[in-house]
Each structure stands twice: as structure tokens, then as C-alpha cells.
Amino acid sequence: MERSRFALIGAGRMGLFHGETLSHRLPGARLAAVADPVGGGKELDADRFYTDAAQVWDDPEIDAVVIAAPARLHSDLIVAAARAGKHVFCEKPTALTLADADRAIAATRDAGVVFQVGFQRRFAPDWAAARALLDGGQIGTPRLLRSLTRDPGGFDPARVPPDTIFFETLIHDFDVLRFLNPGAHAVEVYATADALVEPAWRERGLRDTAAVLVRFDNGTTGFAEACFATSYGHDVRAEVFGSAGAATMGDARRTAMTFSGPSGRTVATMHSDQELFGNAYIAELAAFTDAIRTGTPPPVTGDDARAALAIAVAAAESARTGHPVRITP
């Protein structure tokens, strides 16, 4: 089988993981190029290294791109890649405004390229199994949903733009709420947020802790929460409660071992997203590669990303105004 030739755009922490996946973890992929403005990614096993993404658009050997650049650049990179005829996998969010998301989606549709977005939790075994139960009717009609993200901390508040907690952290949870309530649309959002980890940065716009209530058009209520720092590791969980049952997802334990000693009972926990979701990150790129090869639709589309972004935009506005915000189609 001929391997799809990829270019990685952005060689930060997440980009390096995706680059390793393309080089060594996916038989159907080959990392042909890395484009990073500061020359990062040289440790990756790539054929070529660029400092300008435009060099990727002009490279006839590149079939697809994986965009792991800063979020503010995503929509422009998606548009440029699509116009160059490259299939696009982009880390979340696709954009920071709905207008830019629409522009990116339109560009990929006009070009006829595969466009997939990086919501890896859909590919994690717990979340996929819960969705299978939903699709099979065992959970019944969803009534209440919950999703949470508690990061392990260690962030620099000076490098966190306003509303990051909604657009780059909770956007995963907003997608999970939609994933666990298939076919429903969010209609109203109420959010509250504050700087509780770094209160000295509150007046500069930092929000490091947030809670969001989301109402859907089928009557289901979803709750999402996030915090940028925990004392015990990387904690990601979810629950769907329905008319016929309930399913819970997420376990931050590193192993199933529990140690009991004089000070009590302890378990080892995971401390990074790549440790917690490593296999899911690989699975999402495998699904993208399969979509390119077979011509089938990707499992996470631009429309999925736009719907999660609409909730994030409403949540940011609600947190600023203190009032619920309606979502219009």
C-alpha cells in the first residue's frame, strides 16, 4: 500500500507527538516535511524541513497536512492548504471566530479535500464505548451530560490569551457533550469563570477555572468544567445519564495497581494529555489517513468543530456579561 505523504505544520509539544506518529506509528503514513517558523522539529524523521508553511503548499509531494500551529493561525492555514489541494487535519480549534470557521470549512469543501479536526476523546476507548451504547439504545434518551478537564498545571499566565479556557480547553468538553447527545443542537449557554489558580492575573483577563451549563434543543442539559491546575495529575472524565441507564468515562490511574500502606491507600495517576490519550491521538490520525485513502468522510468534520466553537463563543460572552447566551443556527 502506498503511504500518504504528510507535512507537519508547527513543531510544538503536540506537533512533535503527531510527527512521531506519522513517522513511526502509522504504516499508511510518511512524514515528508516539517514546517516550523523557528526551525523546530529537527529531531523528527522527516525528509525536508521548512520555516515557511508556503513552502508546503508548493511541494508537489505533499498529500496532506497536520496543523499543530498556534490556534490564531489555524483558519488561515486551513484555507491555504485547501487551496493548494492538500487534505487537512487540524488541531482544535479550527478558528477563534465563527466567521473564520465558516471560511475554513468553505475552502475545504470547495477544494474537495478531506478535513478532519483533532477531537481525540472521541477515539478513546471509554468515550467510543459509551457512544456505542448510545447508538445501540442501551442508555436510552440522554437527560444529563457532564464533561470535565483538569489540567496538571505548570502554565505561564503571561502566555495565556483571554478566553483560552473556552476556546482551547473546554472546547474538548463541548464536543464531548455533543458526541454524547447525537443529533441534538446547543441552544443556550451560561458560563462563569475566574482566576482562582493565578488570582493576581485576574485584572489582565486570565480565566483559569470555569463552569458552563449548556441546554440542547432536545431538552438535555450538559455541564462542562475546567481548571488549568490540579495537584494530582491530568483528570479528564465524562458521564451520560439517560432514560435507560448511565455511562461514565475517564480514569486517570496510570495502572490498576493500588498501594495500601501505613499512610492509607494510594494510586499512581497520569500527568499529561499525551500519557492519558496517547492511543487516541494515534487513532484519530489513523482515521484521517483512512479517509484520504478510501475517500470516505472523516469521523470528525469541520461542522463538528464549528458547533463546538459556537458553544465556546457563547460561553466566553456569557462569562463576560453574567447572562445566558442564546446560540443561533
Side-chain angles (χ1 to χ4, degrees):
M1 180 180 68
E2 183 177 353
R3 294 187 293 173
S4 297
R5 296 161 298 184
F6 286 83
L8 173 69
I9 301 177
R13 180 172 168 275
M14 194 68 249
L16 290 175
F17 187 92
H18 286 322
E20 288 289 342
T21 295
L22 295 169
S23 292
H24 303 298
R25 302 180 184 120
L26 291 184
R30 169 185 154 205
L31 183 61
V34 175
D36 187 85
V38 297
K42 292 295 176 60
E43 63 268 47
L44 293 171
D45 184 17
D47 299 334
R48 295 177 292 286
F49 295 90
Y50 300 133
T51 56
D52 187 344
Q55 295 171 280
V56 172
W57 319 145
D58 295 333
D59 189 334
E61 294 190 9
I62 302 298
D63 301 312
V65 299
V66 172
I67 298 172
R72 67 182 184 279
L73 305 176
H74 285 183
S75 57
D76 286 342
L77 289 170
I78 294 167
V79 170
R83 289 175 177 171
K86 316 297 187 186
H87 302 292
V88 182
F89 178 97
C90 185
E91 271 299 328
K92 53 73 195 171
T94 55
L96 297 178
T97 69
L98 292 175
D100 278 343
D102 289 338
R103 184 167 59 91
I105 293 168
T108 59
R109 285 180 176 163
D110 290 345
V113 297
V114 175
F115 177 33
Q116 184 174 322
V117 181
F119 286 128
Q120 88 284 351
R121 294 183 199 180
R122 294 181 177 224
F123 298 86
D126 291 8
W127 279 257
R131 177 57 187 263
L133 289 176
L134 276 165
D135 292 341
Q138 290 97 321
I139 294 176
T141 302
R143 292 174 175 170
L144 294 170
L145 311 166
R146 187 183 184 208
S147 183
L148 67 85
T149 301
R150 297 172 185 166
D151 290 333
F155 67 99
D156 179 358
R159 296 173 61 87
V160 181
D163 297 331
T164 291
I165 197 163
F166 299 115
F167 289 102
E168 299 192 47
T169 301
L170 276 162
I171 197 160
H172 275 298
D173 300 282
F174 301 150
D175 181 66
V176 166
L177 296 182
R178 295 187 62 254
F179 183 62
L180 298 177
N181 194 15
H185 301 279
V187 294
E188 188 175 66
V189 176
Y190 176 70
T192 181
D194 204 345
L196 301 181
V197 181
E198 295 283 353
W201 287 80
R202 180 181 293 115
E203 299 308 315
R204 305 189 199 187
L206 177 68
R207 300 293 182 265
D208 54 41
T209 307
V212 183
L213 195 71
V214 182
R215 288 201 311 110
F216 289 87
D217 59 0
N218 64 347
T220 302
T221 298
F223 179 76
E225 64 166 87
C227 184
F228 285 168
T230 70
S231 61
Y232 56 87
H234 192 52
D235 188 2
V236 178
R237 287 174 278 145
E239 180 181 30
V240 52
F241 167 69
S243 58
T248 59
M249 294 131 269
D251 187 342
R253 291 181 297 178
R254 181 169 286 144
T255 72
M257 186 272 290
T258 300
F259 172 71
S260 298
S263 61
R265 184 168 292 169
T266 62
V267 297
T269 56
M270 299 186 189
H271 284 259
S272 76
D273 57 340
Q274 292 175 11
E275 187 180 17
L276 189 61
F277 288 113
N279 289 334
Y281 284 127
I282 297 169
E284 66 180 356
L285 282 184
F288 178 56
T289 303
D290 287 344
I292 294 171
R293 180 177 54 83
T294 63
T296 55
V300 190
T301 67
D303 289 333
D304 289 321
R306 188 196 189 280
L309 179 62
I311 300 174
V313 169
E317 181 182 348
S318 177
R320 283 192 295 271
T321 64
H323 300 291
V325 174
R326 295 284 298 180
I327 296 179
T328 55

